[in-house]
Amino acid sequence: MQIGTVVGNVWATRKEDELTGLKFLVVQPEYPDGSACEIPFVAVDKIGAGVGDKVLVTRGSAAANMSSDTKLPIDALVVGIIDSIDVEKGGWTRG
């Protein structure tokens, strides 16, 4: 999983049928200190995150399997809205 901040929305009125009703957000991945660590990406959101929220995102096959009915054509899914992050000093390093 990855930490990030929602920096925008993506509006797509025409999309695959399986994606109807899902919201798309632009997420800026971050280190625990809030500094950017990669380029932004689009993630599907079903929990109601919005611009400015810190979120927890899962990527890859875990995101595509969010529904037990069918495998969706997505590679990033917001799985949580972060309330706070507490990291011990020296508890992480940039890699």
Side-chain angles (χ1 to χ4, degrees), residues 5-9 23 25 45 48-55 81:
T5 296
V6 178
V7 295
N9 294 289
K23 185 165 90 172
L25 301 174
D45 172 57
V51 173
D53 284 339
K54 280 210 178 293
V55 293
I81 299 173

Side-chain angles (χ1 to χ4, degrees), residues 8-86:
N9 294 289
V10 176
W11 306 102
T13 54
R14 295 179 63 173
K15 55 191 168 236
E16 291 291 326
D17 290 340
E18 295 87 9
L19 301 176
T20 300
L22 298 176
K23 185 165 90 172
F24 300 98
L25 301 174
V26 179
V27 177
Q28 172 62 64
E30 299 173 344
Y31 291 110
D33 69 358
S35 60
C37 63
E38 292 179 24
I39 61 170
F41 58 85
V42 176
V44 168
D45 172 57
K46 290 181 64 176
I47 62 173
V51 173
D53 284 339
K54 280 210 178 293
V55 293
L56 192 57
V57 178
T58 188
R59 296 173 83 173
S61 62
N65 293 320
M66 71 176 210
S67 171
S68 60
D69 299 337
T70 183
K71 187 172 180 176
L72 297 177
I74 63 173
D75 65 359
L77 174 67
V78 175
V79 295
I81 299 173
I82 297 172
D83 297 314
S84 65
I85 299 173
D86 183 21

